[in-house]
Amino acid sequence: IRVDRYYQGGLLLMGFVMIGAAIYAVWRQRSLISLAFLACALFGLAASVHDYLLSQGLLVDPEGPYLLYFAAAALLGVAGVQLVDRFAKSLGAVEQMNVTLAQQVAEKERELSANYEKLRGLERERAVSDERQRIMQDMHDGLGSQLLSSLMLVERGALSNEQVAQIL
């Protein structure tokens, strides 16, 4: 019986600590769920006092029901509601982050595609420039070679005026 008395006293002490934490949470958060936790803690304290008095035979009806079980169920219910609420909010936040991430990926894909198109355009311009350069080089080399060989023939006197005119 002494162990039961200390056990019940320990539960009362835990109840006071829980009420203090719940009052602090209500003051800090100012939310409905913290108010529900405070109500459950107060109900638990009242149930603990009732059960303690009942177990010590200090109440009129010693065979009355113990109420702490109901307080524990209420506390678990409020905790479950809070967990579901936090889970739903976290899920919403993750979904919003996924949408934001998808938008960022799409934007980067557009930028990458635009850069790729610019690169293809520059590559095309470079190819055209290289081809022009090659054609100019071929023309220069062919024409220069022909003029040089014609000049040497003219200097040797191997060509007549008509042949020189035709070459030119």
Side-chain angles (χ1 to χ4, degrees), residues 122-139:
L122 290 173
E123 195 65 35
R124 199 175 314 117
E125 286 178 20
R126 188 173 142 246
V128 167
S129 176
D130 288 349
E131 185 64 20
R132 280 188 189 137
Q133 184 67 28
R134 187 189 61 77
I135 290 171
M136 293 297 287
Q137 187 68 35
D138 287 349
M139 285 176 53

Side-chain angles (χ1 to χ4, degrees), residues 121-164:
L122 290 173
E123 195 65 35
R124 199 175 314 117
E125 286 178 20
R126 188 173 142 246
V128 167
S129 176
D130 288 349
E131 185 64 20
R132 280 188 189 137
Q133 184 67 28
R134 187 189 61 77
I135 290 171
M136 293 297 287
Q137 187 68 35
D138 287 349
M139 285 176 53
H140 178 268
D141 289 347
L143 185 62
S145 171
Q146 186 179 5
L147 286 174
L148 189 61
S149 60
S150 299
L151 180 63
M152 287 194 314
L153 288 174
V154 168
E155 284 177 350
R156 279 192 242 153
L159 294 176
S160 66
N161 286 341
E162 289 177 10
Q163 289 174 329
V164 170

Side-chain angles (χ1 to χ4, degrees), residues 12-158:
L12 283 174
L13 180 63
M14 292 289 287
F16 283 121
V17 169
M18 198 164 126
I19 287 174
I23 289 172
Y24 177 71
V26 167
W27 174 75
R28 197 179 102 225
Q29 296 175 358
R30 302 186 197 286
S31 68
L32 185 60
I33 197 74
S34 60
L35 193 60
F37 267 116
L38 178 60
C40 284
L42 290 172
F43 177 52
L45 180 64
S48 294
V49 169
H50 173 268
D51 291 355
Y52 180 74
L53 294 174
L54 190 64
S55 69
Q56 298 305 313
L58 299 173
L59 289 180
V60 177
D61 185 15
E63 297 297 319
Y66 286 91
L67 300 178
L68 194 54
Y69 302 112
F70 300 111
L75 182 63
L76 287 175
V78 169
V81 167
Q82 184 178 26
L83 287 175
V84 168
D85 182 54
R86 284 186 179 180
F87 177 74
K89 286 178 182 175
S90 296
L91 191 59
V94 166
E95 287 175 358
Q96 181 61 39
M97 284 189 274
N98 282 340
V99 167
T100 303
L101 184 61
Q103 290 170 346
Q104 289 174 346
V105 167
E107 178 64 29
K108 292 298 179 186
E109 284 177 347
R110 283 191 292 275
E111 289 176 14
L112 189 59
S113 178
N115 286 340
Y116 181 70
E117 286 301 318
K118 283 181 186 177
L119 186 62
R120 282 181 39 184
L122 290 173
E123 195 65 35
R124 199 175 314 117
E125 286 178 20
R126 188 173 142 246
V128 167
S129 176
D130 288 349
E131 185 64 20
R132 280 188 189 137
Q133 184 67 28
R134 187 189 61 77
I135 290 171
M136 293 297 287
Q137 187 68 35
D138 287 349
M139 285 176 53
H140 178 268
D141 289 347
L143 185 62
S145 171
Q146 186 179 5
L147 286 174
L148 189 61
S149 60
S150 299
L151 180 63
M152 287 194 314
L153 288 174
V154 168
E155 284 177 350
R156 279 192 242 153

